[in-house]
Amino acid sequence: MTPAVGKDTMHRNPQPFTTTTVTVAYAGGDERRGPITMGQANMIRCILRDDPTHINIHDVWPVPEGTTSAAVTDALRALAVRHEGLRTTFPHPPGTAPVDQVVAAEGTFTVTVLDHAELPGDPAEYAESVARAARAGRFALEREFPVRITLLTVAGQPAYMALAFSHAVADGSAMAILREEFAELLAGKELPGLTSLPPVDLAAVEASPAGLRKSEASLRYWERILRTGPQEMFAEPRGRRPGTDEEARQLTLRSRRGGRALAGAARRTGHPEATVLMAAWCALVAHRAGQDSCVTAVPSANRFHARVARSVTTTSQDALLHLDVRVETFDELVTRTWGAVLNAYRHSQFDSVRLWEMIDRVTAERGSHFGRDVVFNDVSALPAPLLGTDAQDREDAEQELTWGPPQALPTRLLAFTYRTAPQLHISLWAAPSVFTAEEAEGFLSGLVLLLEAAAAGDVPMEALAEVTGVRPAERGPDWARVDGCWVSPDAVCETLGRAVGGLPVRVAEEPGPSGTAEGAPGTGSHLTAYIARGATALTPEEAHRALTALIPAAGSGVLAPHRYVLVENPPTEPDRSDAWRRLNTIDEGTGRSRQV
């Protein structure tokens, strides 16, 4: 597919340009075929389902002055031959998902050349817009070269490469590796031998007995979190369900203060900077959300093993960190974070199809809806900066916050850490239903304040509001902690009423039996739903299924009751739970296929 230059690009670029398409042939690789990797299967599932502008990824590579167009195409050809992932397609019959990958020994790709008399006033921003526009349109997995390449030139002189990648063959780390190698090839350097596995070989490792055991362990780890952890980090009256897309603007922090503070806190605690930063992130997220634990996805975690560290493929499978923040001091949390992060990393390789089958099953049984609510992606250790961030860095910024363009956000809170030294450079996308612009700025500023306090000494966790200026979410008296989640019984009642076709319903918070998972500290209550079924034949199982079908689109704070009690008619005082309890019970049950 030829990249398109969007209307916004044309508006910012009044200068005329000519378009030429160059076909580049490559040869010299090995032809191979094999099963797809777990990471590829995970991303292909998204590619076949999601909006291409959300799932395709892009990057911009500056071209050094004096480089010829022939040198650019030669470097691209060399990368295609070097990395099997770039020569990979995924044949499959229509209406099915690929299960195999095919690596070509030779082939062609195209480069769209946009030649300008001069580039706009902000050439880097213009190149970024061209790359972003190329994300539109679904990649044809079975036949299309997985990179859409646009070369921006000025009077024939290359200036920028704007690229859009299929997420089936590359992730952020892979783009960074390719960007680094492209620059080295243009500089005349010889690339070292490959040390990480190509996708076909990685798939073989994953399918080995050891790889399958690792996948099974990962599924068990995830299931424990899904059955006991909070289903929404930001369950509050103004919130939306996890997975409900919103448009959020990019907020970028550049802070030398933050860089110095992080380094100082790492020295004082004796832990790596990445661990300290993760602890600070989780502490502040849990504090802001009013939760006892922080559940956050860590997408870049699965590059920690040497066999995939520099593999040009997609390893996009989340590590899921579940960190209990109920400790006295920040230092204790840092120590706890070290082990929790390693545990999450160890369980970041799994069969994504089975994972989502398990998620669907567990959330139906629990009567919840798991969402990828919080994402923290630390790419500061990658071999090259991503998405042109090196060109955007202003290392003299003692501390500044700048707002950027909006994008669709399927999470509530997404952060990318690009650099930690000499300045802390983080971009944040915060859902506007949960964070006002002022609150988003306060969150990043509060993160720096927490690091500065941690560099000076241990910080009591109960002092987070005072130290950071970040206030916990406000919930009314009708909200309760149930089954490890913040729940609004009123919202549950309203949703259940709709689910059972308007029958009279009462939802009450009641003490849970001892010895259950819900009897853990702070989660010792249950929800009981009373339903006057009248002349209908409604059962607890049917009520539960009807409710869980509505939960993904319901408002925040909706969790299925643990017990359904069916009566014939409502009491004369339907707003009194004790009046419902005095009625004769027709039927009762959990509605769940297993007790959780």
Side-chain angles (χ1 to χ4, degrees), residues 354-514:
R354 289 189 59 202
L355 175 75
W356 282 102
E357 289 174 348
M358 182 270 288
I359 289 175
D360 290 342
R361 182 183 72 253
V362 170
T363 53
E365 291 170 355
R366 193 181 185 191
S368 58
H369 178 69
F370 171 75
R372 198 166 172 264
D373 213 0
V374 181
V375 181
F376 185 78
N377 205 352
D378 186 348
V379 296
S380 61
L382 293 182
L386 287 174
L387 306 181
T389 55
D390 56 337
Q392 301 168 17
D393 276 337
R394 292 182 288 279
E395 293 188 0
D396 60 344
E398 188 64 12
Q399 181 150 313
E400 67 176 15
L401 290 165
T402 55
W403 287 96
Q407 71 177 52
L409 188 71
T411 67
R412 301 283 75 83
L413 199 64
L414 166 66
F416 271 79
T417 299
Y418 294 111
R419 301 182 69 179
T420 57
Q423 62 177 353
L424 185 61
H425 180 179
I426 299 177
S427 285
L428 181 78
W429 291 262
S433 66
V434 178
F435 289 83
T436 65
E438 183 179 10
E439 287 171 331
E441 292 180 353
F443 186 88
L444 283 182
S445 298
L447 185 67
V448 173
L449 291 171
L450 175 55
L451 292 172
E452 288 181 327
D458 202 358
V459 180
M461 292 294 286
E462 63 180 15
L464 285 181
E466 178 184 354
V467 169
T468 67
V470 175
R471 303 297 172 187
E474 295 183 2
R475 301 179 180 91
D478 58 321
W479 284 71
R481 286 291 303 279
V482 175
D483 195 10
C485 304
W486 278 107
V487 176
S488 168
D490 289 348
V492 176
C493 186
E494 188 276 330
T495 306
L496 179 59
R498 288 191 287 114
V500 297
L503 293 175
V505 170
R506 174 71 176 174
V507 174
E509 180 189 359
E510 298 179 344
S514 61

Side-chain angles (χ1 to χ4, degrees), residues 223 226-228 231 241 355-371 483 540-552 558-564 589-596:
E223 184 168 353
L226 295 177
R227 289 196 181 277
T228 59
Q231 294 295 287
R241 292 300 307 184
L355 175 75
W356 282 102
E357 289 174 348
M358 182 270 288
I359 289 175
D360 290 342
R361 182 183 72 253
V362 170
T363 53
E365 291 170 355
R366 193 181 185 191
S368 58
H369 178 69
F370 171 75
D483 195 10
E541 291 77 16
E542 291 169 342
H544 183 76
R545 284 196 299 269
L547 174 59
T548 54
L550 294 185
I551 284 178
V558 178
L559 188 75
H562 296 78
R563 190 166 67 105
Y564 298 84
T590 66
R592 306 178 184 209
S593 58
R594 92 180 237 185
Q595 187 69 32
V596 296

Side-chain angles (χ1 to χ4, degrees), residues 143-155:
R143 56 179 172 80
E144 186 176 355
F145 189 75
V147 190
R148 297 169 184 161
I149 307 168
T150 305
L151 176 60
L152 306 181
T153 62
V154 180

Side-chain angles (χ1 to χ4, degrees), residues 527-548:
L527 292 182
T528 298
Y530 298 90
I531 307 173
R533 77 177 190 182
T536 71
L538 182 73
T539 66
E541 291 77 16
E542 291 169 342
H544 183 76
R545 284 196 299 269
L547 174 59
T548 54

Side-chain angles (χ1 to χ4, degrees), residues 51-209:
D51 185 326
T53 60
H54 296 175
I55 192 64
N56 294 336
I57 54 179
H58 72 281
D59 201 0
V60 173
W61 300 350
V63 179
E65 187 176 351
T67 304
T68 65
S69 295
V72 169
T73 55
D74 285 347
L76 292 171
R77 181 187 293 110
L79 292 176
V81 173
R82 175 177 170 84
H83 295 291
E84 291 186 5
L86 299 181
R87 296 182 275 117
T88 297
T89 53
F90 304 90
H92 61 287
T96 67
V99 295
D100 291 320
Q101 55 183 315
V102 174
V103 182
E106 58 186 29
T108 62
F109 59 86
T110 60
V111 178
T112 300
V113 182
L114 304 184
D115 190 37
H116 306 71
E118 60 178 333
L119 293 177
D122 190 337
E125 181 183 355
Y126 168 59
E128 166 79 10
S129 70
V130 173
R132 186 178 292 275
R135 290 167 60 160
R138 207 176 304 276
F139 275 90
L141 295 171
E142 72 282 3
R143 56 179 172 80
E144 186 176 355
F145 189 75
V147 190
R148 297 169 184 161
I149 307 168
T150 305
L151 176 60
L152 306 181
T153 62
V154 180
Q157 175 65 46
Y160 290 94
M161 294 287 299
L163 309 103
F165 290 79
S166 166
H167 219 329
V169 302
D171 54 18
S173 298
M175 289 194 303
I177 293 163
L178 291 169
R179 192 173 194 256
E180 178 187 54
E181 292 185 348
F182 176 75
E184 291 180 347
L185 287 169
L186 292 184
K189 297 180 181 178
E190 182 176 348
L191 298 181
L194 296 174
T195 56
S196 293
L197 296 178
V200 173
D201 293 335
L202 179 58
V205 170
E206 293 174 343
S208 68

